Amino acid sequence: MDQHVAEAIGRPDLIRLDDGLVCLRFETMKVVSALAAVRHLLDTGAVRRGDTLLDSSSGIYAYALALACHRHGMHCHVVGSTTVDKTLRTQLAVLGATLEQMEPCDDLKLDQKRRVERIHEILAAHPEYHWMRQYHDDIHYLGYRGIADRIREETGTDRLTVVGGVGSGASTGALTRYLRDASGGVPGNVSCHGSGSARTDVELVGVQPYGSLTFGAQHTSDPEIIIAGIGSSIPFGNVSHELYDTLHWISFDAALSGAVDLLRRHAVFAGLSTGAAYLAARHEHDRAPERTVLFIAPDTGHRYTDTVYARHREAAPLARLAPQDIADQTELALPWSRMPWNRTPSPRRGA
Protein backbone atom coordinates (compact mmCIF):
# COMPACT_ATOMS: atom_id res chain seq x y z
CA MET A 1 0.00 0.00 0.00
CA ASP A 2 1.30 3.47 -0.87
CA GLN A 3 2.16 5.79 1.99
CA HIS A 4 1.45 8.97 0.01
CA VAL A 5 -0.52 9.83 -3.12
CA ALA A 6 2.70 10.98 -4.83
CA GLU A 7 3.84 7.36 -5.00
CA ALA A 8 0.68 6.40 -6.87
CA ILE A 9 0.81 9.40 -9.17
CA GLY A 10 4.41 8.65 -10.10
CA ARG A 11 3.84 4.98 -10.94
CA PRO A 12 3.53 4.57 -14.74
CA ASP A 13 1.41 2.20 -16.80
CA LEU A 14 2.94 0.06 -19.54
CA ILE A 15 0.42 -0.28 -22.38
CA ARG A 16 0.97 -2.34 -25.50
CA LEU A 17 -0.79 -0.38 -28.25
CA ASP A 18 0.21 -2.52 -31.23
CA ASP A 19 2.59 -5.36 -31.86
CA GLY A 20 5.95 -3.85 -31.01
CA LEU A 21 4.61 -0.42 -29.94
CA VAL A 22 4.43 0.28 -26.20
CA CYS A 23 3.35 3.40 -24.30
CA LEU A 24 4.96 4.22 -20.93
CA ARG A 25 2.12 6.35 -19.56
CA PHE A 26 2.46 8.58 -16.51
CA GLU A 27 -0.09 10.71 -14.74
CA THR A 28 2.72 13.12 -13.86
CA MET A 29 6.16 11.79 -14.77
CA LYS A 30 8.44 14.14 -12.86
CA VAL A 31 6.97 13.03 -9.54
CA VAL A 32 9.24 9.99 -9.94
CA SER A 33 12.41 12.06 -10.17
CA ALA A 34 11.37 14.64 -7.57
CA LEU A 35 10.49 12.02 -4.94
CA ALA A 36 13.75 10.14 -5.40
CA ALA A 37 15.81 13.33 -5.47
CA VAL A 38 14.32 14.70 -2.23
CA ARG A 39 14.66 11.32 -0.52
CA HIS A 40 18.34 11.19 -1.54
CA LEU A 41 18.97 14.72 -0.23
CA LEU A 42 17.39 13.80 3.10
CA ASP A 43 19.25 10.50 3.37
CA THR A 44 22.61 12.16 2.68
CA GLY A 45 21.98 15.06 5.04
CA ALA A 46 22.09 17.69 2.29
CA VAL A 47 18.71 18.96 3.54
CA ARG A 48 16.55 18.41 6.59
CA ARG A 49 12.81 18.17 7.11
CA GLY A 50 11.36 21.67 7.26
CA ASP A 51 13.89 23.16 4.83
CA THR A 52 12.77 25.06 1.74
CA LEU A 53 13.41 23.55 -1.69
CA LEU A 54 13.57 25.95 -4.62
CA ASP A 55 13.43 25.52 -8.38
CA SER A 56 12.20 26.84 -11.71
CA SER A 57 9.55 25.03 -13.72
CA SER A 58 7.38 25.26 -16.82
CA GLY A 59 4.67 23.28 -15.04
CA ILE A 60 5.01 19.55 -14.40
CA TYR A 61 8.08 19.75 -12.17
CA ALA A 62 6.44 22.42 -10.02
CA TYR A 63 3.62 20.01 -9.17
CA ALA A 64 6.06 17.13 -8.70
CA LEU A 65 8.28 19.09 -6.31
CA ALA A 66 5.25 20.34 -4.35
CA LEU A 67 4.10 16.74 -3.90
CA ALA A 68 7.58 15.57 -2.87
CA CYS A 69 7.80 18.39 -0.34
CA HIS A 70 4.35 17.53 1.01
CA ARG A 71 5.42 13.87 1.30
CA HIS A 72 8.63 14.65 3.20
CA GLY A 73 7.63 17.67 5.30
CA MET A 74 9.49 20.31 3.30
CA HIS A 75 8.62 23.80 2.10
CA CYS A 76 8.43 24.42 -1.64
CA HIS A 77 9.17 27.62 -3.57
CA VAL A 78 8.74 27.62 -7.35
CA VAL A 79 9.57 30.24 -9.96
CA GLY A 80 7.05 29.33 -12.63
CA SER A 81 6.84 29.84 -16.35
CA THR A 82 4.10 31.81 -18.04
CA THR A 83 2.68 28.40 -19.03
CA VAL A 84 1.58 27.51 -15.46
CA ASP A 85 -2.22 27.43 -15.70
CA LYS A 86 -4.98 28.23 -13.21
CA THR A 87 -5.58 24.60 -12.22
CA LEU A 88 -1.92 24.07 -11.33
CA ARG A 89 -1.70 27.41 -9.53
CA THR A 90 -4.64 26.37 -7.36
CA GLN A 91 -3.16 22.94 -6.60
CA LEU A 92 0.19 24.47 -5.63
CA ALA A 93 -1.51 26.97 -3.33
CA VAL A 94 -3.52 24.30 -1.52
CA LEU A 95 -0.42 22.07 -1.20
CA GLY A 96 1.32 24.96 0.55
CA ALA A 97 3.83 25.73 -2.18
CA THR A 98 4.84 29.30 -2.98
CA LEU A 99 4.63 30.15 -6.68
CA GLU A 100 6.17 33.18 -8.34
CA GLN A 101 4.95 33.24 -11.92
CA MET A 102 6.68 35.18 -14.65
CA GLU A 103 4.72 37.78 -16.60
CA PRO A 104 3.22 36.61 -19.91
CA CYS A 105 5.88 36.19 -22.58
CA ASP A 106 5.89 34.52 -26.00
CA ASP A 107 9.68 34.20 -26.01
CA LEU A 108 10.78 30.90 -24.37
CA LYS A 109 14.39 32.09 -24.17
CA LEU A 110 13.43 35.25 -22.31
CA ASP A 111 11.05 33.34 -20.04
CA GLN A 112 13.74 30.84 -19.01
CA LYS A 113 16.36 33.57 -18.61
CA ARG A 114 14.11 35.59 -16.32
CA ARG A 115 13.30 32.53 -14.21
CA VAL A 116 16.99 31.71 -13.69
CA GLU A 117 17.75 35.32 -12.79
CA ARG A 118 14.95 35.27 -10.23
CA ILE A 119 16.29 32.03 -8.72
CA HIS A 120 19.64 33.72 -8.10
CA GLU A 121 17.91 36.72 -6.51
CA ILE A 122 16.00 34.45 -4.13
CA LEU A 123 19.15 32.52 -3.20
CA ALA A 124 20.97 35.76 -2.47
CA ALA A 125 18.19 36.74 -0.05
CA HIS A 126 17.75 33.18 1.33
CA PRO A 127 21.03 31.27 1.15
CA GLU A 128 19.49 28.59 3.36
CA TYR A 129 17.17 27.51 0.55
CA HIS A 130 18.23 24.46 -1.45
CA TRP A 131 18.11 24.87 -5.23
CA MET A 132 17.01 21.57 -6.76
CA ARG A 133 18.53 22.34 -10.19
CA GLN A 134 16.29 19.91 -12.06
CA TYR A 135 18.01 20.83 -15.32
CA HIS A 136 21.54 20.17 -14.07
CA ASP A 137 21.66 17.84 -11.05
CA ASP A 138 21.60 14.16 -12.00
CA ILE A 139 20.05 13.11 -8.71
CA HIS A 140 16.91 13.47 -10.84
CA TYR A 141 17.96 10.29 -12.68
CA LEU A 142 17.57 8.13 -9.57
CA GLY A 143 13.81 7.61 -9.66
CA TYR A 144 13.91 5.90 -13.05
CA ARG A 145 15.97 2.88 -11.99
CA GLY A 146 12.96 0.80 -10.94
CA ILE A 147 11.03 1.82 -14.04
CA ALA A 148 13.87 0.63 -16.28
CA ASP A 149 13.85 -2.72 -14.46
CA ARG A 150 10.13 -3.02 -15.03
CA ILE A 151 10.46 -2.17 -18.74
CA ARG A 152 13.16 -4.80 -19.15
CA GLU A 153 11.02 -7.42 -17.40
CA GLU A 154 7.66 -6.68 -19.03
CA THR A 155 8.78 -6.03 -22.61
CA GLY A 156 10.98 -9.11 -22.57
CA THR A 157 13.30 -7.83 -25.26
CA ASP A 158 16.80 -6.45 -25.58
CA ARG A 159 15.99 -5.03 -29.03
CA LEU A 160 14.38 -1.91 -27.63
CA THR A 161 14.01 1.63 -28.94
CA VAL A 162 13.11 4.31 -26.37
CA VAL A 163 11.43 7.47 -27.69
CA GLY A 164 10.74 10.57 -25.62
CA GLY A 165 10.86 14.34 -25.37
CA VAL A 166 14.35 15.43 -24.35
CA GLY A 167 13.47 18.31 -22.01
CA SER A 168 15.82 18.33 -19.02
CA GLY A 169 17.34 15.04 -20.19
CA ALA A 170 16.53 13.14 -16.99
CA SER A 171 13.82 10.71 -18.11
CA THR A 172 15.22 9.58 -21.46
CA GLY A 173 18.78 9.79 -20.17
CA ALA A 174 18.18 7.79 -17.00
CA LEU A 175 16.02 5.10 -18.60
CA THR A 176 18.57 4.56 -21.35
CA ARG A 177 21.54 4.46 -18.96
CA TYR A 178 19.82 1.88 -16.78
CA LEU A 179 18.53 -0.17 -19.70
CA ARG A 180 21.90 -0.28 -21.43
CA ASP A 181 23.69 -1.38 -18.29
CA ALA A 182 23.59 -5.16 -18.04
CA SER A 183 23.23 -5.12 -14.26
CA GLY A 184 20.25 -2.74 -14.40
CA GLY A 185 22.12 -0.10 -12.42
CA VAL A 186 24.54 2.73 -12.96
CA PRO A 187 28.10 2.48 -11.62
CA GLY A 188 28.99 4.86 -8.84
CA ASN A 189 26.82 6.57 -6.25
CA VAL A 190 24.61 9.04 -8.08
CA SER A 191 26.21 10.13 -11.32
CA CYS A 192 24.75 8.71 -14.50
CA HIS A 193 27.49 10.12 -16.74
CA GLY A 194 29.72 7.07 -16.32
CA SER A 195 29.52 4.00 -18.53
CA GLY A 196 28.67 0.48 -17.44
CA SER A 197 28.61 -2.82 -19.25
CA ALA A 198 26.40 -1.71 -22.11
CA ARG A 199 23.36 -3.30 -23.67
CA THR A 200 24.25 -1.96 -27.10
CA ASP A 201 20.86 -2.83 -28.62
CA VAL A 202 18.90 -0.23 -26.68
CA GLU A 203 18.47 2.76 -28.98
CA LEU A 204 17.39 6.22 -27.88
CA VAL A 205 15.35 8.61 -30.01
CA GLY A 206 14.98 12.17 -28.73
CA VAL A 207 12.09 14.46 -29.63
CA GLN A 208 12.58 18.23 -29.77
CA PRO A 209 10.52 21.29 -30.70
CA TYR A 210 11.75 23.75 -33.29
CA GLY A 211 13.65 26.60 -31.66
CA SER A 212 15.33 24.43 -29.02
CA LEU A 213 19.02 25.03 -28.36
CA THR A 214 19.71 21.55 -26.97
CA PHE A 215 20.52 19.90 -30.29
CA GLY A 216 21.18 23.02 -32.36
CA ALA A 217 17.76 24.10 -33.64
CA GLN A 218 17.70 27.54 -32.05
CA HIS A 219 17.77 29.20 -35.47
CA THR A 220 14.33 27.76 -36.32
CA SER A 221 10.89 28.70 -35.03
CA ASP A 222 7.38 27.31 -34.92
CA PRO A 223 4.63 29.73 -36.03
CA GLU A 224 2.26 28.18 -33.49
CA ILE A 225 4.03 27.60 -30.14
CA ILE A 226 7.10 25.90 -28.79
CA ILE A 227 6.05 22.67 -27.09
CA ALA A 228 6.82 23.45 -23.45
CA GLY A 229 8.93 21.03 -21.47
CA ILE A 230 10.73 19.13 -24.24
CA GLY A 231 13.04 21.88 -25.50
CA SER A 232 15.30 24.54 -24.08
CA SER A 233 16.79 27.93 -24.87
CA ILE A 234 19.65 27.44 -22.37
CA PRO A 235 22.13 24.53 -21.97
CA PHE A 236 20.94 21.76 -19.62
CA GLY A 237 23.57 19.78 -17.72
CA ASN A 238 21.35 16.70 -17.43
CA VAL A 239 21.20 16.17 -21.19
CA SER A 240 23.78 13.51 -22.11
CA HIS A 241 24.01 14.03 -25.86
CA GLU A 242 26.14 10.91 -26.29
CA LEU A 243 23.15 8.70 -25.39
CA TYR A 244 21.00 9.65 -28.39
CA ASP A 245 20.96 7.71 -31.65
CA THR A 246 18.35 9.73 -33.55
CA LEU A 247 16.51 13.05 -33.21
CA HIS A 248 13.10 14.19 -34.38
CA TRP A 249 12.05 17.85 -34.47
CA ILE A 250 8.25 18.08 -34.49
CA SER A 251 6.01 21.14 -34.83
CA PHE A 252 2.93 22.01 -32.80
CA ASP A 253 0.57 21.09 -35.65
CA ALA A 254 2.16 17.68 -36.19
CA ALA A 255 2.20 16.96 -32.43
CA LEU A 256 -1.48 17.96 -32.23
CA SER A 257 -2.25 15.41 -34.95
CA GLY A 258 -0.30 12.78 -33.03
CA ALA A 259 -2.08 13.50 -29.75
CA VAL A 260 -5.53 13.38 -31.37
CA ASP A 261 -4.73 10.14 -33.21
CA LEU A 262 -3.42 8.55 -30.01
CA LEU A 263 -6.70 9.32 -28.26
CA ARG A 264 -8.89 8.33 -31.21
CA ARG A 265 -7.02 5.12 -32.09
CA HIS A 266 -5.87 3.91 -28.66
CA ALA A 267 -7.98 5.91 -26.13
CA VAL A 268 -4.83 7.32 -24.49
CA PHE A 269 -5.51 10.91 -23.37
CA ALA A 270 -2.11 12.57 -23.06
CA GLY A 271 -0.29 15.84 -23.56
CA LEU A 272 1.22 17.55 -26.56
CA SER A 273 4.74 16.20 -26.03
CA THR A 274 3.23 12.70 -25.98
CA GLY A 275 1.64 13.37 -29.35
CA ALA A 276 5.07 14.28 -30.70
CA ALA A 277 6.71 11.19 -29.17
CA TYR A 278 3.93 8.97 -30.52
CA LEU A 279 4.51 10.29 -34.05
CA ALA A 280 8.24 9.62 -33.80
CA ALA A 281 7.69 6.17 -32.26
CA ARG A 282 5.30 5.08 -35.03
CA HIS A 283 7.82 6.17 -37.63
CA GLU A 284 10.71 4.38 -35.93
CA HIS A 285 8.61 1.22 -35.62
CA ASP A 286 7.73 1.36 -39.32
CA ARG A 287 11.43 1.62 -40.15
CA ALA A 288 12.41 -1.32 -37.92
CA PRO A 289 9.33 -3.47 -37.21
CA GLU A 290 11.48 -6.20 -35.65
CA ARG A 291 12.24 -3.91 -32.69
CA THR A 292 10.02 -3.03 -29.74
CA VAL A 293 9.49 0.73 -29.64
CA LEU A 294 8.52 2.32 -26.32
CA PHE A 295 7.51 5.99 -26.14
CA ILE A 296 7.13 8.10 -23.02
CA ALA A 297 3.83 9.84 -22.22
CA PRO A 298 4.80 12.19 -19.38
CA ASP A 299 1.38 13.60 -18.44
CA THR A 300 -2.34 13.44 -19.15
CA GLY A 301 -4.16 15.60 -21.68
CA HIS A 302 -6.19 17.70 -19.27
CA ARG A 303 -3.97 20.79 -19.58
CA TYR A 304 -4.38 20.62 -23.36
CA THR A 305 -8.16 20.39 -23.63
CA ASP A 306 -8.58 23.92 -25.00
CA THR A 307 -5.29 24.34 -26.86
CA VAL A 308 -5.10 20.91 -28.52
CA TYR A 309 -8.15 18.67 -28.19
CA ALA A 310 -10.70 21.40 -28.88
CA ARG A 311 -8.97 21.69 -32.27
CA HIS A 312 -9.24 17.96 -33.05
CA ARG A 313 -10.92 18.63 -36.41
CA GLU A 314 -7.70 20.31 -37.56
CA ALA A 315 -5.68 17.14 -36.97
CA ALA A 316 -4.10 15.76 -40.14
CA PRO A 317 -4.39 12.02 -40.81
CA LEU A 318 -1.08 10.45 -39.80
CA ALA A 319 -0.77 8.82 -43.24
CA ARG A 320 -0.14 12.31 -44.60
CA LEU A 321 2.68 13.03 -42.15
CA ALA A 322 6.27 11.89 -42.56
CA PRO A 323 9.58 13.40 -41.50
CA GLN A 324 12.08 14.97 -43.81
CA ASP A 325 15.37 13.12 -43.36
CA ILE A 326 18.21 15.61 -42.94
CA ALA A 327 21.98 15.41 -42.61
CA ASP A 328 22.49 18.41 -40.32
CA GLN A 329 20.56 21.19 -38.61
CA THR A 330 20.93 23.63 -41.52
CA GLU A 331 18.36 21.50 -43.36
CA LEU A 332 15.71 21.65 -40.62
CA ALA A 333 12.23 22.28 -41.99
CA LEU A 334 8.74 22.26 -40.50
CA PRO A 335 6.62 20.38 -39.74
CA TRP A 336 8.84 17.37 -39.02
CA SER A 337 12.52 16.61 -39.48
CA ARG A 338 14.57 13.53 -38.58
CA MET A 339 18.35 13.30 -38.23
CA PRO A 340 20.84 10.61 -37.13
CA TRP A 341 22.76 11.76 -34.05
CA ASN A 342 24.89 8.62 -33.63
CA ARG A 343 25.64 9.20 -29.93
CA THR A 344 27.73 12.28 -30.64
CA PRO A 345 28.89 14.07 -27.46
CA SER A 346 27.85 17.64 -26.87
CA PRO A 347 30.44 20.15 -28.06
CA ARG A 348 29.91 21.91 -24.72
CA ARG A 349 30.78 18.84 -22.64
CA GLY A 350 34.09 19.41 -20.93
CA ALA A 351 34.40 22.94 -22.27
Side-chain angles (χ1 to χ4, degrees):
M1 183 180 296
D2 294 321
Q3 300 302 307
H4 191 273
V5 69
E7 296 158 9
I9 290 173
R11 185 183 305 110
D13 304 306
L14 270 169
I15 307 168
R16 188 174 296 279
L17 303 184
D18 286 317
D19 186 30
L21 183 64
V22 177
C23 176
L24 181 67
R25 178 194 175 275
F26 290 86
E27 181 175 341
T28 305
M29 181 180 68
K30 290 189 176 181
V31 172
V32 174
S33 55
L35 277 176
V38 173
R39 181 73 266 168
H40 177 79
L41 291 171
L42 286 166
D43 289 346
T44 58
V47 300
R48 296 176 297 177
R49 289 176 64 89
D51 285 353
T52 297
L53 305 183
L54 168 71
D55 214 344
S56 165
S57 172
S58 61
I60 294 177
Y61 186 79
Y63 179 53
L65 185 60
L67 285 173
C69 287
H70 190 277
R71 169 71 177 87
H72 292 295
M74 318 288 288
H75 298 290
C76 178
H77 192 119
V78 173
V79 178
S81 169
T82 62
T83 58
V84 176
D85 60 22
K86 180 180 179 181
T87 299
L88 179 54
R89 290 197 301 270
T90 302
Q91 286 177 290
L92 294 176
V94 175
L95 286 168
T98 301
L99 171 67
E100 294 186 35
Q101 188 170 11
M102 294 291 99
E103 292 297 320
C105 176
D106 293 329
D107 186 334
L108 175 64
K109 182 174 182 179
L110 180 59
D111 181 66
Q112 287 183 325
K113 181 175 181 291
R114 290 191 305 181
R115 282 189 276 143
V116 172
E117 289 173 349
R118 180 57 186 150
I119 289 286
H120 287 292
E121 291 173 356
I122 294 170
L123 288 172
H126 297 279
E128 73 278 12
Y129 286 8
H130 182 89
W131 184 13
M132 292 297 294
R133 301 177 75 243
Q134 64 147 324
Y135 303 130
H136 306 292
D137 192 334
D138 62 8
I139 61 172
H140 291 90
Y141 278 49
L142 293 173
Y144 295 99
R145 184 191 302 269
I147 297 171
D149 292 341
R150 184 179 165 201
I151 290 170
R152 185 184 299 107
E153 178 182 351
E154 294 195 25
T155 61
T157 179
D158 288 333
R159 307 183 75 182
L160 181 68
T161 299
V162 176
V163 181
V166 177
S168 70
S171 59
T172 51
L175 286 173
T176 303
R177 289 270 184 202
Y178 292 132
L179 286 165
R180 285 179 182 166
D181 185 74
S183 67
V186 171
N189 294 323
V190 175
S191 177
C192 290
H193 294 310
S195 60
S197 51
R199 288 176 178 260
T200 56
D201 207 12
V202 176
E203 295 185 353
L204 177 58
V205 177
V207 179
Q208 286 271 271
Y210 290 91
S212 175
L213 169 77
T214 308
F215 286 91
Q218 64 271 22
H219 61 287
T220 65
S221 61
D222 191 327
E224 277 276 3
I225 63 168
I226 292 177
I227 303 172
I230 67 170
S232 176
S233 65
I234 57 176
F236 286 170
N238 274 342
V239 177
S240 296
H241 292 70
E242 67 276 11
L243 293 175
Y244 295 84
D245 296 283
T246 306
L247 293 171
H248 287 250
W249 287 268
I250 295 178
S251 70
F252 172 90
D253 288 339
L256 180 151
S257 297
V260 170
D261 187 88
L262 180 61
L263 178 57
R264 180 176 290 135
R265 190 187 305 256
H266 300 291
V268 176
F269 184 49
L272 191 60
S273 62
T274 301
Y278 171 64
L279 269 187
R282 283 174 56 94
H283 181 77
E284 294 300 323
H285 185 255
D286 288 344
R287 291 175 66 99
E290 75 280 2
R291 301 182 65 84
T292 297
V293 179
L294 176 145
F295 69 94
I296 301 171
D299 62 351
T300 67
H302 295 87
R303 291 196 302 153
Y304 305 91
T305 301
D306 294 332
T307 57
V308 173
Y309 289 99
R311 299 171 57 179
H312 64 90
R313 291 181 180 84
E314 301 174 26
L318 297 199
R320 297 181 188 172
L321 297 175
Q324 172 178 307
D325 287 307
I326 62 175
D328 61 57
Q329 294 91 331
T330 63
E331 300 175 1
L332 280 167
L334 276 73
W336 183 3
S337 296
R338 178 185 185 274
M339 188 180 84
W341 186 257
N342 300 321
R343 307 189 189 185
T344 304
S346 168
R348 296 183 183 86
R349 180 85 60 197

